[in-house]
Amino acid sequence: MAEEPQIISAIRILFEVIWTHLRLIFEILKALFRFVVPPTPKEVNEDIILITGAGHGMGREVALRFAKLGATVVCIDINAKGNEDTLKMIKQAKGKGFTYECDVTDREAVMQLAQKVEREVGEVTILINNAGIMPCKPVLRHSEKEIRTLMDINVNGNLWMIQAFLPAMLERNSGHIVAMSSMAGKMGLRNLVPYCGSKYAVRGIMEALALELHEDPRDTNGIKFTTVCPYIVNTGLCHNPRIRFAGLMKTVEPGEAADQIVDAVRREYHEITIPSDLYYTNKIFNLFPPAGGRILTDFIGTGLDPHD
């Protein structure tokens, strides 16, 4: 086969560059429009929503809110009592719910869970990977067991759940995967070195997964992704928050965070921070050189002191 003339290749690349610019401009305009006119929240009354870490904190609050919207909520937690308490609250509010005890770090148990949920409840349409732990101390005071456990729950737990529930979503080209990252997954914080690493990993997993499906030869446009990056939420994980300007950087209550998470899922946002203004603050923060970022961090004076 004859090689394509150089002039033809140059013209082809030129048109490709023009087409790429037009697509970029369109996406920028669309984003600006959506900033002014947010998407209409989708109904979830026919969805089966599985939430890990549903036995307390934000997981419980999110479960209750989706149940009130008519969704069937599947509550997953290793803490059977807390999980059952969440289910009781759902039932008291006339909602539909199921509970399953599962250790998300056990891949085989997660695979069995997926089969059981599909058999007993139905195919999960929205997966919310919420389970996580947050030990808070200087990195040299972490034991090997603490770090391995943190990574198993915060990182591997996400991967096992995705491997268990994504195949069915791919088959029907429909589904929504939600991951709980953190502002600690967008910027480093003292006393949270392993935790920051795990939450950066969660964001990386979600970004890479979205790109992998985008490049999949199958039609995967029906599968959505949302990454949630909360600031300090008053769930009991943050024992010693240090906030210099409390009026500007206040601790967020679980109910308030849950409202924003549910709204983001229903509007199919790609990524949110809680509070929302931190999304833009963080982007501005990242424009500074590392030394400048540390100067701003010293001035803001926000972080977490060790738990023990």
Side-chain angles (χ1 to χ4, degrees):
M1 186 175 178
E3 186 176 343
E4 185 177 68
Q6 193 169 10
I7 183 65
I8 299 299
S9 296
I11 292 172
R12 191 188 305 279
I13 292 173
L14 176 62
F15 276 107
E16 190 174 338
V17 169
I18 293 171
W19 177 236
T20 299
H21 275 79
L22 289 173
R23 291 173 64 195
L24 285 172
I25 291 169
F26 173 75
E27 291 299 332
I28 291 169
L29 292 174
K30 188 167 73 171
L32 290 172
F33 174 76
R34 284 306 183 193
F35 181 78
V36 178
V37 184
T40 302
K42 65 182 179 182
E43 297 297 329
V44 294
N45 55 299
E46 295 185 359
D47 281 294
I48 296 176
I49 303 176
L50 185 145
I51 306 172
T52 64
H56 68 287
M58 280 195 296
R60 172 178 288 173
E61 296 293 335
V62 169
L64 292 173
R65 280 156 177 75
F66 274 124
K68 288 178 181 177
L69 290 169
T72 299
V73 181
V74 180
C75 301
I76 308 298
D77 207 300
I78 198 169
N79 180 350
K81 183 182 183 305
N83 216 22
E84 287 298 329
D85 288 343
T86 300
L87 180 61
K88 288 177 185 177
M89 295 176 188
I90 289 173
K91 299 288 188 182
Q92 288 170 359
K94 309 300 181 185
K96 296 174 288 184
F98 297 82
T99 59
Y100 294 90
E101 184 178 346
C102 182
D103 179 357
V104 298
T105 70
D106 184 338
R107 186 179 186 277
E108 183 59 33
V110 170
M111 296 301 166
Q112 292 176 5
L113 170 72
Q115 295 175 3
K116 193 172 184 181
V117 170
E118 182 176 349
R119 185 172 61 249
E120 298 178 358
V121 185
E123 288 189 343
V124 170
T125 56
I126 301 177
L127 167 65
I128 302 179
N129 282 320
N130 167 73
I133 60 172
M134 192 184 73
C136 180
K137 64 179 74 172
V139 64
L140 295 181
R141 285 170 51 191
H142 281 279
S143 68
E144 177 185 353
K145 182 179 180 181
E146 284 176 328
I147 292 176
R148 290 188 182 277
T149 300
L150 180 145
M151 292 298 175
D152 264 348
I153 296 173
N154 293 10
V155 180
N156 293 341
N158 276 261
L159 291 169
W160 306 152
M161 297 297 290
I162 289 168
Q163 288 187 334
F165 291 97
L166 179 60
M169 294 182 182
L170 286 170
E171 283 184 13
R172 62 178 186 268
N173 187 25
S174 178
H176 195 153
I177 298 176
V178 183
M180 296 299 299
S181 181
S182 169
M183 285 307 297
K186 295 178 79 70
M187 60 187 297
L189 295 168
R190 66 187 290 249
N191 297 318
L192 291 176
V193 172
Y195 180 77
C196 286
S198 73
K199 292 304 180 178
Y200 268 86
V202 169
R203 283 185 59 236
I205 288 167
M206 292 294 282
E207 288 181 12
L209 181 60
L211 183 61
E212 183 168 292
L213 265 62
H214 169 71
E215 296 181 354
D216 194 295
R218 295 168 291 183
D219 183 7
T220 61
N221 289 328
I223 302 175
K224 309 300 179 183
F225 302 94
T226 299
T227 303
V228 182
C229 299
Y231 177 58
I232 300 174
V233 181
N234 187 23
T235 60
L237 288 178
C238 305
H239 299 300
N240 301 315
R242 176 170 33 82
I243 303 173
R244 182 181 181 187
F245 301 107
L248 296 175
M249 306 283 286
K250 66 178 182 178
T251 301
V252 180
E253 292 302 316
E256 180 184 349
D259 286 337
Q260 294 183 50
I261 293 167
V262 170
D263 183 68
V265 173
R266 295 184 67 199
R267 296 183 192 272
E268 298 181 343
Y269 288 147
H270 178 70
E271 182 178 278
I272 66 162
T273 63
I274 302 173
S276 59
D277 56 359
L278 290 181
Y279 182 84
Y280 303 99
T281 303
N282 181 254
K283 287 189 177 297
I284 295 170
F285 189 91
N286 287 333
L287 294 174
F288 291 92
R294 288 192 288 270
I295 289 170
L296 287 174
T297 299
D298 291 341
F299 172 71
I300 294 170
T302 298
L304 293 173
D305 290 327
H307 289 176
D308 53 24

